[in-house]
Amino acid sequence: ADVAAAQAASARQDSLTKPPRALGRLEELAIFMAGWQGTPRPVIDRAQALVFAGNHGVCAQGVNPFPQEVTAQMVANFDAGGAAINQLCRASGADLSVIALDLDRPTADITEAPAMSADEVLDAIRRGAGAVDADAQVLVLGEMGIGNSTIAAALAHAVFGGAAADWVGRGTGVDDEGLTRKADVVARAVERHAGIRGAALLAALGGREQAAICGAVLQARALSIPVILDGFICTAATAPLFDADPRLLDHCLVGHASREPGHTRLLHEMGKAPILALDMALGEGSGAAVALGVLRAALECHNGMATFAEAGVAGG
Amino acid sequence: ADVAAAQAASARQDSLTKPPRALGRLEELAIFMAGWQGTPRPVIDRAQALVFAGNHGVCAQGVNPFPQEVTAQMVANFDAGGAAINQLCRASGADLSVIALDLDRPTADITEAPAMSADEVLDAIRRGAGAVDADAQVLVLGEMGIGNSTIAAALAHAVFGGAAADWVGRGTGVDDEGLTRKADVVARAVERHAGIRGAALLAALGGREQAAICGAVLQARALSIPVILDGFICTAATAPLFDADPRLLDHCLVGHASREPGHTRLLHEMGKAPILALDMALGEGSGAAVALGVLRAALECHNGMATFAEAGVAGG
């Protein structure tokens, strides 16, 4: 990040007609954007949202009440404009692209084998990176994939330890029995691939949409485009990068705290403070898209407010 | 509220292409709006924001580092479009009106006398009620007034008890000594007017902007217009109505949890869950205006999403 731009933005915040720090998180967000956009006056004229979809062999373990066909059905719903993320991107002014990653070729069951070959991982990373619009001023990331809250729990458990049960939640709606089964599946998968760390976890436990999210995050970092991650599954997708080097995620905000119980723990481990907490648990980038609206509000204040001197207000 | 409309909205939410309750608070907000607008498909084509400004004799007790002239200077800043609330209303699509209430005639010092006469209170309530646009589909309320975090603390302390120190915070920026002085001032003011309850507290402790906010809240209730209250001072302004009958505030959301420490306690006492928590403490309706963006996002999903049947997605 551009430290000088961030400092100039911080100085500007202190000159605006409000008590110091009265805009709280909005001030921090404006300064963050200044640093990553490399200008004291960051703007969002072009916001991109990317949703990556994948299918998962671990569904054979009965971790999700929905059939895997729902992934493709939801992609069709995205393409037709009928999903939550379509409405939320319209509301927050983001251009949405949905990238379905070989839905007819699910990854392997991670309790029995690595999810993907190295080539498959690289392909997904490349497709994620290649989807990033180099002219975007902020990037919203999301995912869709029946069974992928189990993948997320496995990645988080592998990187941050604890008990498997700490990382599993109801996802799209498993019952108590399903929850116990999910924890067992996660424990077995992580045990099966014990000792693997960093980016190699994508092949072991991954999922194509997780690898694609990592690719998009790295590409955005190379282009200095700030990112808004979504909830538990999207944040967990980046855990292998965090494990390799936490600084790889310095340009990433987290849009919201998901209702999925593992997310709060994950955010604590990764040192990320979510922008919103709206009890959402949908994925698709939905929480990140709502947070984009808050980010826009932050920049409106930053760029549009009068300074004490300009307004002739005492006490600045 | 229209129970049938709310129930129809709730049934619609259950039919949309997402797991049940996956949109969390966004679903609750859509159902709330349906109830108050009296339609299963609530919309916000017209959003109004009202900011009321007043001055306070209690400033003679040294409760605020800023001079009272800043109230009028900030009103001029609102009128010129330079304040945070101007930018936030533009970002969230609200029509802003600022109503300065006799700034050259501060209320009496509440440690020594009632703040206002009954006629003054009625006048302020009427002006608040009269400012409400009958065609608005949602109303954002805010305030400005040097010294009014002391008024807010006094109203909250009078209605909800506890210790005076529980309700005071740094407001626009008092130091430790100022904080102690504020708590003492609040304790003396509430003691001076002990035994007064309900709407009569507006005359005893009030402030014109507090009475105007109550007037706007009551008028919105009469017109069945849902309201978004702002932070500590705006919420505390309605405490006399809550004391008279909590149901008077059933149509009111609270936009955000302020950093001002009394707000969390106040929200707990009043049974209100804030939409946002962004560490803001500015007033002006700023937090409520940001929350309006979330409300719009909720209605976009509610009205724009496909149902399971429409989208041909399994599992609905």
PDB file of all heavy atoms in Angstrom, chain B residues 111-138:
ATOM      1  N   THR B 111     -29.964  21.966  35.032  1.00  0.00           N
ATOM      2  CA  THR B 111     -29.575  21.753  36.440  1.00  0.00           C
ATOM      3  C   THR B 111     -30.276  22.776  37.345  1.00  0.00           C
ATOM      4  O   THR B 111     -30.262  22.641  38.566  1.00  0.00           O
ATOM      5  CB  THR B 111     -28.047  21.875  36.659  1.00  0.00           C
ATOM      6  OG1 THR B 111     -27.636  23.216  36.341  1.00  0.00           O
ATOM      7  CG2 THR B 111     -27.289  20.879  35.815  1.00  0.00           C
ATOM      8  N   GLU B 112     -30.894  23.781  36.719  1.00  0.00           N
ATOM      9  CA  GLU B 112     -31.491  24.865  37.510  1.00  0.00           C
ATOM     10  C   GLU B 112     -32.978  25.045  37.294  1.00  0.00           C
ATOM     11  O   GLU B 112     -33.668  25.614  38.155  1.00  0.00           O
ATOM     12  CB  GLU B 112     -30.781  26.187  37.162  1.00  0.00           C
ATOM     13  CG  GLU B 112     -29.300  26.159  37.514  1.00  0.00           C
ATOM     14  CD  GLU B 112     -28.608  27.484  37.221  1.00  0.00           C
ATOM     15  OE1 GLU B 112     -29.205  28.315  36.488  1.00  0.00           O
ATOM     16  OE2 GLU B 112     -27.488  27.661  37.721  1.00  0.00           O
ATOM     17  N   ALA B 113     -33.487  24.603  36.148  1.00  0.00           N
ATOM     18  CA  ALA B 113     -34.888  24.875  35.812  1.00  0.00           C
ATOM     19  C   ALA B 113     -35.345  23.878  34.747  1.00  0.00           C
ATOM     20  O   ALA B 113     -34.519  23.195  34.143  1.00  0.00           O
ATOM     21  CB  ALA B 113     -35.014  26.305  35.267  1.00  0.00           C
ATOM     22  N   PRO B 114     -36.651  23.802  34.492  1.00  0.00           N
ATOM     23  CA  PRO B 114     -37.089  23.016  33.323  1.00  0.00           C
ATOM     24  C   PRO B 114     -36.490  23.606  32.056  1.00  0.00           C
ATOM     25  O   PRO B 114     -36.361  24.835  31.935  1.00  0.00           O
ATOM     26  CB  PRO B 114     -38.614  23.190  33.330  1.00  0.00           C
ATOM     27  CG  PRO B 114     -38.956  23.616  34.723  1.00  0.00           C
ATOM     28  CD  PRO B 114     -37.780  24.399  35.223  1.00  0.00           C
ATOM     29  N   ALA B 115     -36.150  22.746  31.111  1.00  0.00           N
ATOM     30  CA  ALA B 115     -35.535  23.203  29.867  1.00  0.00           C
ATOM     31  C   ALA B 115     -36.466  24.143  29.105  1.00  0.00           C
ATOM     32  O   ALA B 115     -36.038  25.157  28.558  1.00  0.00           O
ATOM     33  CB  ALA B 115     -35.176  21.997  29.000  1.00  0.00           C
ATOM     34  N   MET B 116     -37.735  23.779  29.071  1.00  0.00           N
ATOM     35  CA  MET B 116     -38.700  24.522  28.258  1.00  0.00           C
ATOM     36  C   MET B 116     -40.028  24.637  28.979  1.00  0.00           C
ATOM     37  O   MET B 116     -40.356  23.830  29.859  1.00  0.00           O
ATOM     38  CB  MET B 116     -38.949  23.789  26.919  1.00  0.00           C
ATOM     39  CG  MET B 116     -37.795  23.805  25.950  1.00  0.00           C
ATOM     40  SD  MET B 116     -38.163  22.866  24.427  1.00  0.00           S
ATOM     41  CE  MET B 116     -37.899  21.184  24.978  1.00  0.00           C
ATOM     42  N   SER B 117     -40.822  25.625  28.549  1.00  0.00           N
ATOM     43  CA  SER B 117     -42.221  25.705  28.976  1.00  0.00           C
ATOM     44  C   SER B 117     -43.026  24.685  28.166  1.00  0.00           C
ATOM     45  O   SER B 117     -42.574  24.199  27.133  1.00  0.00           O
ATOM     46  CB  SER B 117     -42.758  27.112  28.710  1.00  0.00           C
ATOM     47  OG  SER B 117     -42.879  27.321  27.314  1.00  0.00           O
ATOM     48  N   ALA B 118     -44.226  24.420  28.622  1.00  0.00           N
ATOM     49  CA  ALA B 118     -45.104  23.499  27.887  1.00  0.00           C
ATOM     50  C   ALA B 118     -45.369  24.014  26.479  1.00  0.00           C
ATOM     51  O   ALA B 118     -45.418  23.232  25.519  1.00  0.00           O
ATOM     52  CB  ALA B 118     -46.419  23.308  28.646  1.00  0.00           C
ATOM     53  N   ASP B 119     -45.539  25.319  26.338  1.00  0.00           N
ATOM     54  CA  ASP B 119     -45.785  25.888  25.002  1.00  0.00           C
ATOM     55  C   ASP B 119     -44.589  25.689  24.079  1.00  0.00           C
ATOM     56  O   ASP B 119     -44.748  25.388  22.896  1.00  0.00           O
ATOM     57  CB  ASP B 119     -46.074  27.398  25.100  1.00  0.00           C
ATOM     58  CG  ASP B 119     -47.516  27.655  25.489  1.00  0.00           C
ATOM     59  OD1 ASP B 119     -48.296  26.683  25.572  1.00  0.00           O
ATOM     60  OD2 ASP B 119     -47.862  28.827  25.718  1.00  0.00           O
ATOM     61  N   GLU B 120     -43.390  25.863  24.643  1.00  0.00           N
ATOM     62  CA  GLU B 120     -42.186  25.660  23.814  1.00  0.00           C
ATOM     63  C   GLU B 120     -42.066  24.214  23.360  1.00  0.00           C
ATOM     64  O   GLU B 120     -41.701  23.939  22.212  1.00  0.00           O
ATOM     65  CB  GLU B 120     -40.933  26.085  24.591  1.00  0.00           C
ATOM     66  CG  GLU B 120     -40.813  27.594  24.769  1.00  0.00           C
ATOM     67  CD  GLU B 120     -39.641  27.976  25.682  1.00  0.00           C
ATOM     68  OE1 GLU B 120     -39.517  27.368  26.774  1.00  0.00           O
ATOM     69  OE2 GLU B 120     -38.887  28.889  25.315  1.00  0.00           O
ATOM     70  N   VAL B 121     -42.377  23.295  24.245  1.00  0.00           N
ATOM     71  CA  VAL B 121     -42.326  21.876  23.886  1.00  0.00           C
ATOM     72  C   VAL B 121     -43.320  21.583  22.778  1.00  0.00           C
ATOM     73  O   VAL B 121     -42.982  20.941  21.762  1.00  0.00           O
ATOM     74  CB  VAL B 121     -42.622  20.981  25.111  1.00  0.00           C
ATOM     75  CG1 VAL B 121     -42.744  19.520  24.684  1.00  0.00           C
ATOM     76  CG2 VAL B 121     -41.538  21.134  26.156  1.00  0.00           C
ATOM     77  N   LEU B 122     -44.547  22.066  22.947  1.00  0.00           N
ATOM     78  CA  LEU B 122     -45.571  21.810  21.933  1.00  0.00           C
ATOM     79  C   LEU B 122     -45.174  22.384  20.583  1.00  0.00           C
ATOM     80  O   LEU B 122     -45.394  21.770  19.542  1.00  0.00           O
ATOM     81  CB  LEU B 122     -46.919  22.394  22.380  1.00  0.00           C
ATOM     82  CG  LEU B 122     -47.680  21.498  23.348  1.00  0.00           C
ATOM     83  CD1 LEU B 122     -48.931  22.205  23.858  1.00  0.00           C
ATOM     84  CD2 LEU B 122     -48.057  20.181  22.663  1.00  0.00           C
ATOM     85  N   ASP B 123     -44.588  23.574  20.625  1.00  0.00           N
ATOM     86  CA  ASP B 123     -44.158  24.200  19.381  1.00  0.00           C
ATOM     87  C   ASP B 123     -43.112  23.329  18.669  1.00  0.00           C
ATOM     88  O   ASP B 123     -43.195  23.111  17.455  1.00  0.00           O
ATOM     89  CB  ASP B 123     -43.586  25.591  19.671  1.00  0.00           C
ATOM     90  CG  ASP B 123     -43.098  26.283  18.406  1.00  0.00           C
ATOM     91  OD1 ASP B 123     -43.934  26.503  17.512  1.00  0.00           O
ATOM     92  OD2 ASP B 123     -41.888  26.572  18.316  1.00  0.00           O
ATOM     93  N   ALA B 124     -42.153  22.826  19.437  1.00  0.00           N
ATOM     94  CA  ALA B 124     -41.101  21.999  18.828  1.00  0.00           C
ATOM     95  C   ALA B 124     -41.669  20.679  18.317  1.00  0.00           C
ATOM     96  O   ALA B 124     -41.296  20.209  17.234  1.00  0.00           O
ATOM     97  CB  ALA B 124     -39.984  21.748  19.840  1.00  0.00           C
ATOM     98  N   ILE B 125     -42.565  20.067  19.081  1.00  0.00           N
ATOM     99  CA  ILE B 125     -43.211  18.822  18.628  1.00  0.00           C
ATOM    100  C   ILE B 125     -43.961  19.069  17.329  1.00  0.00           C
ATOM    101  O   ILE B 125     -43.866  18.283  16.371  1.00  0.00           O
ATOM    102  CB  ILE B 125     -44.174  18.281  19.719  1.00  0.00           C
ATOM    103  CG1 ILE B 125     -43.378  17.715  20.903  1.00  0.00           C
ATOM    104  CG2 ILE B 125     -45.122  17.220  19.140  1.00  0.00           C
ATOM    105  CD1 ILE B 125     -44.228  17.238  22.072  1.00  0.00           C
ATOM    106  N   ARG B 126     -44.691  20.182  17.281  1.00  0.00           N
ATOM    107  CA  ARG B 126     -45.459  20.514  16.074  1.00  0.00           C
ATOM    108  C   ARG B 126     -44.553  20.727  14.877  1.00  0.00           C
ATOM    109  O   ARG B 126     -44.875  20.319  13.759  1.00  0.00           O
ATOM    110  CB  ARG B 126     -46.281  21.778  16.312  1.00  0.00           C
ATOM    111  CG  ARG B 126     -47.766  21.507  16.499  1.00  0.00           C
ATOM    112  CD  ARG B 126     -48.578  22.777  16.347  1.00  0.00           C
ATOM    113  NE  ARG B 126     -48.108  23.827  17.238  1.00  0.00           N
ATOM    114  CZ  ARG B 126     -48.688  24.171  18.388  1.00  0.00           C
ATOM    115  NH1 ARG B 126     -49.780  23.546  18.798  1.00  0.00           N
ATOM    116  NH2 ARG B 126     -48.202  25.142  19.119  1.00  0.00           N
ATOM    117  N   ARG B 127     -43.430  21.399  15.110  1.00  0.00           N
ATOM    118  CA  ARG B 127     -42.512  21.641  13.989  1.00  0.00           C
ATOM    119  C   ARG B 127     -41.894  20.333  13.499  1.00  0.00           C
ATOM    120  O   ARG B 127     -41.691  20.136  12.300  1.00  0.00           O
ATOM    121  CB  ARG B 127     -41.454  22.672  14.387  1.00  0.00           C
ATOM    122  CG  ARG B 127     -42.086  24.068  14.467  1.00  0.00           C
ATOM    123  CD  ARG B 127     -41.245  25.031  15.282  1.00  0.00           C
ATOM    124  NE  ARG B 127     -40.091  25.543  14.528  1.00  0.00           N
ATOM    125  CZ  ARG B 127     -39.225  26.413  15.043  1.00  0.00           C
ATOM    126  NH1 ARG B 127     -39.384  26.867  16.302  1.00  0.00           N
ATOM    127  NH2 ARG B 127     -38.231  26.843  14.322  1.00  0.00           N
ATOM    128  N   GLY B 128     -41.622  19.439  14.433  1.00  0.00           N
ATOM    129  CA  GLY B 128     -41.112  18.132  14.033  1.00  0.00           C
ATOM    130  C   GLY B 128     -42.142  17.352  13.226  1.00  0.00           C
ATOM    131  O   GLY B 128     -41.843  16.812  12.151  1.00  0.00           O
ATOM    132  N   ALA B 129     -43.369  17.333  13.745  1.00  0.00           N
ATOM    133  CA  ALA B 129     -44.438  16.595  13.060  1.00  0.00           C
ATOM    134  C   ALA B 129     -44.712  17.213  11.695  1.00  0.00           C
ATOM    135  O   ALA B 129     -44.909  16.502  10.700  1.00  0.00           O
ATOM    136  CB  ALA B 129     -45.704  16.593  13.913  1.00  0.00           C
ATOM    137  N   GLY B 130     -44.693  18.531  11.652  1.00  0.00           N
ATOM    138  CA  GLY B 130     -45.027  19.227  10.412  1.00  0.00           C
ATOM    139  C   GLY B 130     -43.983  19.056   9.322  1.00  0.00           C
ATOM    140  O   GLY B 130     -44.264  19.290   8.139  1.00  0.00           O
ATOM    141  N   ALA B 131     -42.790  18.665   9.706  1.00  0.00           N
ATOM    142  CA  ALA B 131     -41.715  18.514   8.713  1.00  0.00           C
ATOM    143  C   ALA B 131     -41.789  17.186   7.969  1.00  0.00           C
ATOM    144  O   ALA B 131     -41.123  17.008   6.942  1.00  0.00           O
ATOM    145  CB  ALA B 131     -40.362  18.639   9.409  1.00  0.00           C
ATOM    146  N   VAL B 132     -42.595  16.252   8.472  1.00  0.00           N
ATOM    147  CA  VAL B 132     -42.647  14.920   7.856  1.00  0.00           C
ATOM    148  C   VAL B 132     -43.402  14.981   6.529  1.00  0.00           C
ATOM    149  O   VAL B 132     -44.522  15.488   6.462  1.00  0.00           O
ATOM    150  CB  VAL B 132     -43.312  13.898   8.804  1.00  0.00           C
ATOM    151  CG1 VAL B 132     -43.475  12.544   8.120  1.00  0.00           C
ATOM    152  CG2 VAL B 132     -42.501  13.763  10.082  1.00  0.00           C
ATOM    153  N   ASP B 133     -42.764  14.459   5.494  1.00  0.00           N
ATOM    154  CA  ASP B 133     -43.364  14.352   4.156  1.00  0.00           C
ATOM    155  C   ASP B 133     -44.325  13.161   4.158  1.00  0.00           C
ATOM    156  O   ASP B 133     -43.891  12.022   4.324  1.00  0.00           O
ATOM    157  CB  ASP B 133     -42.240  14.155   3.133  1.00  0.00           C
ATOM    158  CG  ASP B 133     -42.751  13.907   1.722  1.00  0.00           C
ATOM    159  OD1 ASP B 133     -43.976  13.818   1.513  1.00  0.00           O
ATOM    160  OD2 ASP B 133     -41.899  13.800   0.822  1.00  0.00           O
ATOM    161  N   ALA B 134     -45.602  13.453   3.976  1.00  0.00           N
ATOM    162  CA  ALA B 134     -46.604  12.377   4.055  1.00  0.00           C
ATOM    163  C   ALA B 134     -46.400  11.323   2.980  1.00  0.00           C
ATOM    164  O   ALA B 134     -46.887  10.201   3.108  1.00  0.00           O
ATOM    165  CB  ALA B 134     -48.008  12.970   3.950  1.00  0.00           C
ATOM    166  N   ASP B 135     -45.670  11.665   1.928  1.00  0.00           N
ATOM    167  CA  ASP B 135     -45.441  10.706   0.841  1.00  0.00           C
ATOM    168  C   ASP B 135     -44.151   9.907   1.003  1.00  0.00           C
ATOM    169  O   ASP B 135     -43.834   9.057   0.160  1.00  0.00           O
ATOM    170  CB  ASP B 135     -45.400  11.435  -0.511  1.00  0.00           C
ATOM    171  CG  ASP B 135     -46.753  12.023  -0.870  1.00  0.00           C
ATOM    172  OD1 ASP B 135     -47.778  11.408  -0.511  1.00  0.00           O
ATOM    173  OD2 ASP B 135     -46.783  13.107  -1.472  1.00  0.00           O
ATOM    174  N   ALA B 136     -43.386  10.190   2.073  1.00  0.00           N
ATOM    175  CA  ALA B 136     -42.143   9.450   2.279  1.00  0.00           C
ATOM    176  C   ALA B 136     -42.459   7.990   2.605  1.00  0.00           C
ATOM    177  O   ALA B 136     -43.459   7.690   3.267  1.00  0.00           O
ATOM    178  CB  ALA B 136     -41.322  10.077   3.399  1.00  0.00           C
ATOM    179  N   GLN B 137     -41.604   7.084   2.149  1.00  0.00           N
ATOM    180  CA  GLN B 137     -41.805   5.653   2.436  1.00  0.00           C
ATOM    181  C   GLN B 137     -40.874   5.163   3.539  1.00  0.00           C
ATOM    182  O   GLN B 137     -41.013   4.040   4.026  1.00  0.00           O
ATOM    183  CB  GLN B 137     -41.619   4.858   1.146  1.00  0.00           C
ATOM    184  CG  GLN B 137     -42.799   5.082   0.207  1.00  0.00           C
ATOM    185  CD  GLN B 137     -42.418   4.937  -1.248  1.00  0.00           C
ATOM    186  OE1 GLN B 137     -41.330   5.336  -1.647  1.00  0.00           O
ATOM    187  NE2 GLN B 137     -43.311   4.374  -2.029  1.00  0.00           N
ATOM    188  N   VAL B 138     -39.953   6.030   3.919  1.00  0.00           N
ATOM    189  CA  VAL B 138     -39.114   5.770   5.089  1.00  0.00           C
ATOM    190  C   VAL B 138     -38.570   7.123   5.533  1.00  0.00           C
ATOM    191  O   VAL B 138     -38.386   8.028   4.707  1.00  0.00           O
ATOM    192  CB  VAL B 138     -37.971   4.772   4.761  1.00  0.00           C
ATOM    193  CG1 VAL B 138     -36.984   5.345   3.754  1.00  0.00           C
ATOM    194  CG2 VAL B 138     -37.227   4.337   6.023  1.00  0.00           C
TER     195      VAL B 138
END
